[in-house]
Amino acid sequence: MLKPQILVMGPYADALMAELETAYDLHRYWLIEDKPAFLKSYGDKIKAIATRGDVGASGELMQALPNLEFIAVFGVGVDAIDVVGAKARNIPVTITSGVLHEDVADLAFALMLGIARQIPAGDQFVRSGQWKTTGMPVLPRLHGKRIGILGMGQIGQAIAKRAEGFAMTIHYHTRNKRDDVNYHYHATPAALAQNSDFLVAALAGGKATAGIVSADVLKALGAKGYFINIARGSVVDEQALIETLQKKQIAGAALDVFLNEPKIDERFFTLENAVLHPHQGSATHETRKAMADLVVANLASHFAGKGPLTPI
């Protein structure tokens, strides 16, 4: 019996690649030099795409795969995938939801502590020998402050639970007020920012949320406020953010995600009031294993005729 043919868009960990290879005939798209020739010869044989949130799958590619049945995403971001085109063809798109929100929430708090208590600067302060002659400045606390969470899905709720442990007052904004959480709701991102000491972006990327953290939102956050982004680089007006940080119109920013990563705007490198991190929200051994298992399980369920396990 022939194995289903799958197009893998970008490299996975060796263990996941090996597991997929036992069940499927894999085509490593990122290694194919003449992609148009490959699609002409093999496009009609591809039954599924396995991709990552940062790599995606374009509408043009999907059009070259007339027998495509399924798209499995390693991650929860789908802004790089032609979801509309997939839906029009009744092609399920699955993500690895339900397994990474705790680690992303952990990192959100690491970033908040990192920027407020200046952890990276403190490390360099000790290593450089400055501690022998002077002291670090006194810094703001996290405990008891106001946190504004932009987005109240699984990640936002996990952040909120941690904020409760820090005795923080929890505020949030979503398109619609949620009846299942007992936090302070604000109808606009600017109103949320105005009532936040720490504004955390924890919402999905894509066209609907592009630039939602605008210059006006950053202005509302104010000179004592901090912006934390563990969502997608696209959710903030990056030009406005850089200018705001350069002018010290907010206290600082801690960022795990950027536009055009990893080739990010080099002006970030000169900002002393920013903590920069290389998109590692879900990057723990345990979560990456769970994400890999879910990619395998979604594909197996589809080809067994049982449907997707974690569709968008």
Side-chain angles (χ1 to χ4, degrees):
M1 184 176 178
L2 295 176
K3 297 178 180 179
Q5 297 196 32
I6 291 181
L7 189 62
V8 184
M9 296 300 297
Y12 288 138
D14 290 344
L16 176 53
M17 291 298 292
E19 191 165 2
L20 291 175
E21 207 153 26
T22 63
Y24 309 106
D25 184 3
L26 302 186
H27 299 277
R28 293 166 170 79
Y29 194 63
W30 76 98
L31 297 178
I32 298 171
E33 293 185 7
D34 191 343
K35 290 178 172 59
F38 167 81
L39 293 172
K40 185 176 181 180
S41 298
Y42 290 94
D44 61 345
K45 300 177 179 63
I46 301 298
K47 296 294 185 182
I49 289 175
T51 187
R52 305 194 315 251
D54 60 322
V55 176
S58 69
E60 182 181 6
L61 172 66
M62 291 164 59
Q63 289 173 11
L65 308 175
N67 295 312
L68 183 67
E69 300 174 357
F70 197 78
I71 300 174
V73 182
F74 183 95
V76 294
V78 294
D79 40 310
I81 294 170
D82 183 6
V83 174
V84 174
K87 185 176 181 180
R89 290 173 55 184
N90 294 315
I91 298 170
V93 178
T94 62
I95 56 176
T96 52
S97 56
V99 298
L100 56 76
H101 54 283
E102 301 291 0
D103 285 347
V104 177
D106 282 351
L107 184 62
F109 265 84
L111 290 172
M112 279 192 281
L113 287 165
I115 187 63
R117 299 299 298 270
Q118 289 291 297
I119 305 299
D123 178 85
Q124 289 303 310
F125 187 84
V126 174
R127 292 175 189 273
S128 67
Q130 294 179 72
W131 196 16
K132 298 175 184 176
T133 59
T134 187
M136 284 273 292
V138 176
L139 298 164
R141 76 193 310 184
L142 204 65
H143 180 87
K145 293 295 181 70
R146 301 171 301 170
I147 184 172
I149 304 172
L150 191 55
M152 192 50 73
Q154 288 184 321
I155 293 172
Q157 290 178 65
I159 292 170
K161 287 180 181 179
R162 285 155 179 77
E164 290 174 3
F166 281 78
M168 300 180 84
T169 305
I170 301 166
H171 303 253
Y172 77 101
H173 166 77
T174 56
R175 282 178 294 181
N176 299 296
K177 184 178 181 181
R178 296 191 61 138
D179 295 328
D180 57 342
V181 299
N182 191 27
Y183 307 129
H184 301 281
Y185 175 75
H186 298 274
T188 67
L192 176 68
Q194 194 170 18
N195 288 276
S196 301
D197 299 304
F198 294 86
L199 178 64
V200 184
L203 71 173
K207 293 181 180 179
T209 59
I212 193 170
V213 181
S214 63
D216 288 342
V217 171
L218 294 169
K219 182 179 179 180
L221 183 59
K224 294 183 178 180
Y226 295 90
F227 173 62
I228 315 298
N229 194 357
I230 45 80
R232 285 291 183 270
S234 61
V235 306
V236 62
D237 180 339
E238 201 166 85
Q239 176 67 27
L241 176 61
I242 290 171
E243 291 179 0
T244 298
L245 289 166
Q246 288 173 335
K247 296 175 182 177
K248 295 183 170 55
Q249 293 172 332
I250 62 173
L255 312 167
D256 186 48
V257 289
F258 305 84
L259 288 177
N260 306 315
E261 56 187 50
K263 298 179 181 179
I264 72 171
D265 193 316
E266 294 187 0
R267 289 177 294 172
F268 279 116
F269 304 156
T270 66
L271 297 171
E272 294 182 357
N273 53 350
V275 170
L276 313 178
H277 203 253
H279 200 156
Q280 294 287 291
S282 66
T284 66
H285 296 298
E286 296 85 353
T287 286
R288 288 294 170 87
K289 176 63 166 62
M291 291 168 68
D293 290 346
L294 198 46
V295 169
V296 171
N298 268 300
L299 285 164
S301 182
H302 168 72
F303 285 111
K306 299 178 181 178
L309 300 176
T310 52
I312 58 172

